[in-house]
Amino acid sequence: MTATTKSLKDNPIVRLGGVMEKAVATPEAVVIGVSAGGLKALTAILPVLPADYPLPIMIVIHLPPDRDSVVAELFDAKCALTVREAEDKEDILPGHAYFAPPDYHLLIEPDHRLSLSSEEPVLFSRPSVDVLFESAADVYGEGLIGVVLTGANPDGALGLKAILQAGGRGLVQRPDQAYASAMPEAALALSPDAEAMTLEQIADTLQKAVTT
């Protein structure tokens, strides 16, 4: 490898046509955080993605902790993706969407496995969007896409900031179109460089991110 080749490889800024542009990292994974109004919001995104979608998707939705969830089953029936409730130490596979189980934090381990934790709630939430996002940012760095959707508390704002600081990309549902605006508003307030979009634009962006 020549010195010039190495410098281009190691430097995220590349000169194209005389203009300095930031190199775009290849996406490796998607994480989604959502709360109040989440089922409708996710219905506008997950069923749109094809069965051969090359990225894994990890999802935290705030649900009552004292009952079993059928959310994964509902979405598995309507999606081309394989949708399942996450299991501890499970390998992360492309084309799969994993929901955090009720009352467990969902984390990503360095060896690209899922991990479940019963540690204390964060912002009164377990699972916590922040916990998922921050652990995923540590593992995937600039290859991570974080998505914050409708919700009634600020969970996810710190996590999305961690994703952007790691070089990843942040997508946020437009607060004026969210069932509950608190979650996307908090995310955009803490990360003004995140991209505010409609649900349809988010679904389209997730598809185009792996085809361009």
Side-chain angles (χ1 to χ4, degrees):
M1 180 183 294
T2 66
T4 300
T5 302
K6 185 177 188 301
S7 65
L8 286 175
K9 181 176 183 294
D10 294 344
N11 193 338
I13 304 298
V14 181
R15 184 176 293 278
L16 298 174
V19 178
M20 299 299 286
E21 297 189 6
K22 189 178 190 299
V24 178
T26 301
E28 298 179 57
V30 178
V31 288
I32 298 176
V34 64
S35 188
L39 294 181
K40 183 176 180 180
L42 290 170
T43 298
I45 297 173
L46 296 182
V48 177
L49 302 177
D52 61 351
Y53 191 69
L55 308 181
I57 303 171
M58 282 67 72
I59 305 162
V60 161
I61 181 170
H62 296 155
L63 294 170
D66 56 349
R67 66 184 69 175
D68 292 337
S69 170
V70 296
V71 171
E73 295 177 26
L74 291 173
F75 278 99
D76 190 53
K78 66 175 64 177
C79 292
L81 296 168
T82 297
V83 185
R84 59 196 303 171
E85 192 168 279
E87 296 183 6
D88 193 40
K89 309 306 180 186
E90 181 177 8
D91 289 328
I92 297 172
L93 300 175
H96 285 57
Y98 302 93
F99 277 91
D103 209 28
Y104 284 92
H105 293 308
L106 176 61
L107 300 91
I108 312 300
E109 296 190 345
D111 62 357
H112 290 204
R113 291 188 181 188
L114 301 173
S115 177
L116 301 181
S117 166
S118 57
E119 292 186 4
E120 289 300 310
V122 176
L123 294 174
F124 307 101
S125 300
R126 187 172 63 205
S128 161
V129 179
D130 284 334
V131 169
L132 171 62
F133 280 20
E134 290 170 2
S135 68
D138 288 340
V139 173
Y140 293 107
E142 61 183 8
L144 184 62
I145 301 174
V147 182
V148 175
L149 304 176
T150 174
N153 74 9
D155 189 21
L158 287 172
L160 191 70
K161 182 178 180 180
I163 291 173
L164 293 175
Q165 288 178 333
R169 187 175 184 183
L171 313 179
V172 179
Q173 183 180 7
R174 282 177 45 180
D176 65 320
Q177 297 198 357
Y179 175 84
S181 62
M183 186 176 288
E185 284 176 346
L188 290 170
L190 206 57
S191 299
D193 291 337
E195 303 164 69
M197 299 181 172
T198 65
L199 293 173
E200 292 73 20
Q201 288 172 328
I202 290 173
D204 186 55
T205 298
L206 292 179
Q207 292 183 84
K208 289 181 176 177
V210 298
T211 58
T212 56

